[in-house]
Amino acid sequence: MQRLKGQAALVTGSSSGIGAAVAKSLAAEGAKVVVNYARSPKGAEAVVAEIKAKGGEAIAVQADVSKEDQVLNLFEQMYEAYETIDILVNNAGLQKDSAFTDMTLADWNTVIGVNLTGQFLCAREAAKTFIRRGVVPERSCAAGKIICMSSVHEVIPWAGHCNYAASKGGVMLLMKSMAQELAPHKIRVNSIGPGAIKTPINRDAWETPEAEASLLTLIPYNRVGDPVDIGKAAVWLASDESDYVNGATLFVDGGMTLYPGFATGG
Ligand code: BGC
């Protein structure tokens, strides 16, 4: 039994990494998926091809989620293809790291623009449709589900990454405020807080055995995460199995948020 049968899902930034895994996991559960990308048509087409090869439905649509006109066009294209939206996964995100005093305004604005403003713009468009259409009982008990891709850095401060940590802290209260405001419309809004997951965004942190060993000192469960770990969590949060979960961040991090430094000290 497919848990998301017939539902239309948009996964932003799904041409690689966590987004690609989430798109494939949702499709495997029967969702029709819009694979959004900003700069990598090849990656997005590969995700679409993989989904189709397994009997699923997907299309690739280009849009930079930090730009309002591009987001509006993304939703138009989604509605042309699938008529509606049931699931939004606000996944698109990036890092532009630097020491705080070297951080340029441009890098600050790019990170806040994609990671935070992009989530606002996409969630606003999805919520409008959820409210207008309401619950379709054959598909889900909820009128719509929004899943924000946050990070352990919505709670863990991160030197050298002030723009990124600020964007994820912002996502936390954006998510909770939306959840509070939209709940009466039967819309559920939750976040996933991934820890260190093996993707291109943090290649330096796991690529060599030395880097991986150092990273593992921050992960009590003693393995680096796989994008599929996040795909499984996204399916659960999008499905009716989590129908009473609203306004929560589900950390999928092997215990990174458990203050591992205190395992032997304190
Ligand atoms: C960042 C990764 C980092 C992980 C754990 C994520 O949000 O994008 O670069 O490895 O958090 O620190």
Side-chain angles (χ1 to χ4, degrees), residues 2-256:
Q2 289 182 305
R3 286 178 283 174
L4 307 174
K5 203 166 173 41
Q7 298 193 49
L10 165 60
V11 186
T12 64
S14 51
S15 56
S16 70
I18 287 176
V22 168
K24 291 182 222 167
S25 298
L26 299 183
E29 291 289 340
K32 303 173 267 192
V33 181
V34 173
V35 176
N36 157 255
Y37 65 97
R39 275 174 307 273
S40 169
K42 267 199 190 145
E45 289 303 344
V47 173
V48 168
E50 201 179 319
I51 288 172
K52 286 186 175 164
K54 292 188 173 148
E57 261 189 77
I59 54 165
V61 180
Q62 195 277 336
D64 172 345
V65 296
S66 70
K67 306 279 189 304
E68 187 172 31
D69 56 335
Q70 296 191 31
V71 169
L72 297 182
N73 178 59
L74 167 63
F75 276 79
E76 256 170 47
Q77 293 204 45
M78 172 160 196
Y79 297 153
E80 246 168 58
Y82 299 142
E83 276 164 38
T84 195
I85 181 166
D86 301 285
I87 300 160
L88 166 67
V89 184
N90 256 337
N91 170 78
L94 45 77
Q95 290 181 215
K96 297 258 179 210
D97 310 325
S98 69
F100 182 63
T101 49
D102 295 335
M103 191 169 282
T104 63
L105 178 59
D107 282 356
W108 171 269
N109 282 338
T110 300
V111 171
I112 298 294
V114 173
N115 297 12
L116 182 57
T117 308
Q119 295 218 13
F120 154 66
L121 289 171
C122 293
R124 189 187 62 183
E125 293 318 300
K128 283 184 201 165
T129 294
F130 297 157
I131 292 169
R132 192 176 336 110
R133 188 202 57 220
V135 177
V136 182
E138 305 83 70
R139 293 210 294 269
S140 176
C141 323
K145 283 88 52 164
I146 297 173
I147 299 167
C148 299
M149 204 55 70
S150 184
S151 165
V152 292
H153 299 294
E154 73 170 42
V155 292
I156 302 179
W158 205 14
H161 312 257
C162 283
N163 47 6
Y164 184 84
S167 74
K168 296 303 184 178
V171 165
M172 176 181 67
L173 275 180
L174 171 64
M175 178 278 286
K176 291 186 186 195
S177 302
M178 291 193 295
Q180 194 186 56
E181 184 165 342
L182 300 173
H185 298 285
K186 302 288 282 179
I187 297 168
R188 293 193 297 114
V189 190
N190 293 287
S191 285
I192 297 174
I197 310 295
K198 275 191 185 171
T199 74
I201 207 173
N202 58 358
R203 189 178 295 284
D204 290 354
W206 50 263
E207 207 168 22
T208 64
E210 299 73 33
E212 182 159 353
S214 152
L215 181 58
L216 288 175
T217 64
L218 300 174
I219 308 171
Y221 202 56
N222 213 37
R223 79 167 167 86
V224 181
D226 186 282
V228 168
D229 293 315
I230 308 302
K232 289 176 188 163
V235 165
W236 183 73
L237 280 176
S239 78
D240 285 349
E241 283 174 27
S242 61
D243 189 53
Y244 208 48
V245 180
N246 200 9
T249 295
L250 175 58
F251 288 107
V252 181
D253 66 351
M256 192 176 242

